[in-house]
């Protein structure tokens, strides 16, 4: 697999622009040799036109055909072999063990969607028979059309070119145009080669897949503004996601944006939990805060405790462990600068104490930031929403509450998050219930006696949450339900059987489960 540094537009490589950028190794800050060419607006438009043309063909493909295509993609990703791991490691510094796991997760979720398609029930066929004063109405899910996908920097596989947004959009039956992340352009190109080859091998229309490179906001803005795009899947920062959301809303014909953004993931720890397992909690928390150098959207960034000698002791223990933990590698210069600026804005607040860290490491050979613990009061958090900002890195903020009322008011004042966590004991069950359900209102996933980092790819998983965690809290970007972001229900009223799609025909030729007049059945009518 020879890298070219070019864009992949409907099966062709293309480099018409004059703007180039390079891979940077975060461990040495050394720049790679291969120039990567940012796409021009004409190239972006060509990719979208090809996706629109592909959709006209794709809408006639069966679920099984799309499933075979997805299996081919997964096999071709496996086929890249260790080159993929080494390239990504050089561009992200995430390390081979982590990247090996992420690759399995990525191909695993592509294959899981293929299985979902073969089983067929995901089409959610609903049939209401004709009755007195009621027409015959039959509904099922259809793909929305071409989808624009924005890759994130911190998951070069699982939330990038072949990631969850790609897998769910393709499974839905949508052609895609991916804006690769400039933090890992070589890794992205390896995936583009593999997916383009799968398109050809399976005889899919070339416009099924395009990937545009770009180091700057123009490429993404052109993509979202193009009228051929019907929906956007975005994973990245609040700033970026909000800008894309606003751009999509400003189009003459607005479209939905499924932006999964940052989060502070509040963790509430009761006094009983501290008393019973303070050490274990301190170790677990430090492990979770520093995992992947804190560069997880599920990083525990806000810890709520009632003020007490035990809490002070716990904070001191976490601070000492954070201080002793080695500084990890940050992904790139933009993440390092973003973290510096977020922490320095927070520390400008007079109610913030820095317990350890709080600054960059002077003259470091690699991108990094000191492991940081900060502390404030519940009333300060309530008075200033800016203290709920995500610090994307190995940073956490302890919030001390005076009593239960103070805690309740503070939980009420929390913004939307991907997760909320409670650490409590058996004796707390009666008193903690209300708080747990208050926290439920603030997040997509509620965790009991665990840590938020780590998101299992399973059907019941919910990875989303109220704004600012996402722009679409009723959806998920992880798990099988992610497919419904890129499908929409269409109802057929009194349409003759011969003209209905197969999943809705009387005889149920696909043998799928359908909800017929309120009863789930896989039989014919
Ligand atoms: P990012 O800086 O927002 O970049 C994401 C992509 O959006 C890049 O391709 C970037 O292009 C583009 N972009 C940013 N601003 C834009 C704008 N105004 N207009 C058009 N395009 C724009 O984020 P990141 O560095 O990849 O990732 C870190 C963030 O992702 C963290 O906040 C993390 O919590 C979040 N994240 C969330 C999840 C989740 O599931 N919720 C998962 C992983 C990461 P350029 O770089 O070329 O400008």
């Amino acid at each position: 697999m020879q890298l070219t540094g070019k864009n992949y537009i409907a099966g062709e490589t293309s480099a018409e622009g004059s703007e180039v950028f390079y891979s940077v190794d975060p461990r040495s800050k050394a720049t790679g040799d291969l120039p990567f060419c940012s796409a021009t607006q004409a190239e972006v438009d060509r990719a979208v036109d090809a996706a629109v043309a592909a959709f006209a063909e794709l809408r006639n493909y069966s679920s099984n055909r799309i499933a075979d295509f997805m299996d081919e993609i997964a096999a071709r990703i496996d086929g890249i072999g260790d080159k993929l791991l080494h390239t990504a490691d050089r561009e992200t510094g995430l390390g081979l063990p982590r990247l090996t796991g992420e690759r399995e997760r990525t191909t695993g979720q592509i294959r899981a969607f293929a299985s979902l398609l073969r089983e067929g029930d995901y089409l959610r066929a609903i049939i209401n028979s004709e009755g007195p004063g009621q027409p015959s109405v039959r509904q099922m899910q259809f793909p929305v059309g071409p989808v624009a996908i924005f890759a994130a920097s911190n998951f070069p596989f699982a939330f990038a070119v072949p990631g969850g947004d790609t897998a769910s959009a393709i499974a839905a039956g949508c052609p895609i145009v991916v804006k690769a992340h400039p933090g890992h352009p070589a890794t992205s190109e390896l995936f583009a080669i593999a997916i383009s080859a799968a398109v050809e091998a399976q005889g899919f229309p070339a416009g099924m897949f395009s990937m545009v490179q770009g180091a700057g906001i123009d490429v993404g803005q052109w993509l979202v503004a193009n009228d051929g795009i019907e929906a956007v899947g975005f994973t990245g920062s609040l700033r970026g996601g909000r800008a894309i959301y606003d751009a999509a809303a400003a189009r003459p014909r607005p479209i939905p944006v499924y932006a999964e953004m940052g989060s502070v993931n509040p963790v509430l720890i009761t006094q009983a939990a501290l008393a019973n397992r303070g050490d274990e909690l301190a170790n677990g928390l430090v492990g979770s805060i520093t995992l992947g150098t804190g560069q997880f959207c599920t990083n525990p960034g806000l810890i709520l405790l009632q003020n007490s000698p035990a809490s002070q002791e716990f904070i001191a223990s976490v601070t000492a462990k954070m201080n002793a933990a080695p500084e990890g590698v940050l992904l790139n210069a933009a993440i390092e600068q973003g973290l510096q600026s977020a922490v320095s804005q927070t520390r400008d607040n007079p109610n913030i104490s820095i317990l350890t860290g709080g600054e960059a490491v002077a003259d470091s050979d690699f991108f990094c930031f000191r492991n940081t613990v900060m502390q404030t009061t519940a009333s300060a958090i309530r008075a200033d929403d800016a203290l709920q900002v995500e610090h994307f890195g190995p940073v956490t903020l302890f919030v001390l509450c005076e009593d239960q009322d103070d805690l309740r008011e503070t939980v009420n004042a929390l913004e939307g998050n991907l997760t909320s966590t409670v650490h409590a004991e058996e004796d707390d069950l009666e008193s903690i219930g209300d708080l747990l359900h208050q926290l439920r209102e603030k997040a997509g996933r509620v965790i009991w006696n665990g840590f938020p980092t780590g998101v299992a790819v399973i059907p019941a998983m919910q990875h989303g949450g109220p704004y600012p965690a996402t722009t679409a809290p009723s959806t998920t970007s992880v798990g099988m339900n992610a497919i419904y972001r890129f499908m929409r229900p269409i109802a057929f009223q009194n349409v003759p059987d011969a003209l209905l799609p197969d999943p809705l025909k009387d005889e149920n030729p696909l043998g799928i489960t359908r909800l017929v007049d309120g009863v789930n059945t896989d039989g014919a009518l």
Side-chain angles (χ1 to χ4, degrees), residues 21 149-155 159 179-184 213-222 224 234-244 247 259-263 295-299 331-332 334-335 390 392 418 455 463-464 469-470 477-478:
F21 63 99
I149 289 170
F150 287 79
S153 59
N154 61 332
F155 280 92
F159 285 94
K179 155 71 172 69
H181 197 284
H184 39 74
Q213 300 269 17
I217 64 170
D218 287 349
V219 174
Q221 292 283 336
W222 293 327
V224 174
F234 172 94
T235 309
S237 65
L238 172 59
R239 189 179 39 82
R242 182 58 200 248
I244 304 264
E260 303 287 334
M261 304 176 289
S263 186
Q295 300 167 111
F296 280 105
C297 51
T298 47
N299 191 44
L331 288 157
N332 55 52
I335 296 282
E390 179 192 45
F392 191 63
L418 294 168
V455 184
H463 190 62
T470 79
S477 68
V478 174

Side-chain angles (χ1 to χ4, degrees), residues 279-310:
D279 271 354
E280 185 191 321
L281 275 173
N283 287 329
L285 206 48
V286 170
S288 186
I289 298 165
T290 55
L291 188 72
T293 319
Q295 300 167 111
F296 280 105
C297 51
T298 47
N299 191 44
L302 198 81
I303 321 290
L304 295 157
L305 290 170
Q306 197 160 321
N307 199 356
S308 71

Side-chain angles (χ1 to χ4, degrees), residues 121-134:
D121 296 351
Y122 76 102
L123 293 168
R124 290 184 170 167
I126 308 173
I127 296 179
N128 284 131
S129 309
E130 192 173 357
Q134 178 187 296

